[in-house]
């Protein structure tokens, strides 16, 4: 009889380990993109300091489109050979990382 109670206790004890719940981890990743509103401007409206900085940094680059925001920052759509990209600069020609 002792063996019956002992084996029943062991079986019940082992079943409780399966019934335990594991903690649920919920990882939410939020990506927030802060982007200033840029309005398209004519290529002639790009300051000379910006175009000179572009010629100095990328001599073969061609500006295809230009944009300006309220902070007088410029976004340039640039083509170098077959590569297309964006560059950001202040009105004085210093580059901005974005």
């Amino acid at each position: 009889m002792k063996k019956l109670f002992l084996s029943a206790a062991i079986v019940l004890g082992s079943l409780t380990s399966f019934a335990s719940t594991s903690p649920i981890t919920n990882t939410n990743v939020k990506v927030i993109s802060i982007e200033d509103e840029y309005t398209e401007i004519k290529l002639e409206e790009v300051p000379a300091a910006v175009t000179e900085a572009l010629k100095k940094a990328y001599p073969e680059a061609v500006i295809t489109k230009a944009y300006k925001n309220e902070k007088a920052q410029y976004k340039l759509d640039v083509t170098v050979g077959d590569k297309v990209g964006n560059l950001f600069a202040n009105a004085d020609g210093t580059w901005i990382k974005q």
Side-chain angles (χ1 to χ4, degrees):
M1 196 66 163
K2 245 187 202 181
K3 288 183 182 179
L4 181 64
F5 285 122
L6 183 61
S7 54
I10 291 174
V11 169
L12 288 175
S14 64
L15 290 178
T16 58
S17 65
F18 291 114
S20 67
T21 60
S22 60
I24 297 173
T25 57
N26 190 3
T27 54
N28 290 332
V29 177
K30 291 184 181 180
V31 177
I32 299 173
S33 176
I34 300 172
E35 189 170 322
D36 292 330
E37 292 291 324
Y38 286 91
T39 55
E40 188 172 354
I41 60 171
K42 295 179 183 179
L43 297 179
E44 297 83 31
E45 295 177 27
V46 176
V50 175
T51 55
E52 291 299 319
L54 180 66
K55 286 180 186 177
K56 185 177 179 182
Y58 306 99
E60 298 174 4
V62 177
I63 301 173
T64 55
K65 287 186 182 181
Y67 306 89
K68 181 181 176 183
N69 68 4
E70 295 144 3
K71 299 177 185 175
Q73 296 174 337
Y74 294 86
K75 173 183 172 186
L76 307 172
D77 289 345
V78 179
T79 304
V80 180
D82 60 344
K83 296 181 181 179
V84 178
N86 294 328
L87 294 173
F88 297 88
N90 286 329
D92 61 357
T94 57
W95 300 110
I96 303 170
K97 288 188 177 185
Q98 290 195 354

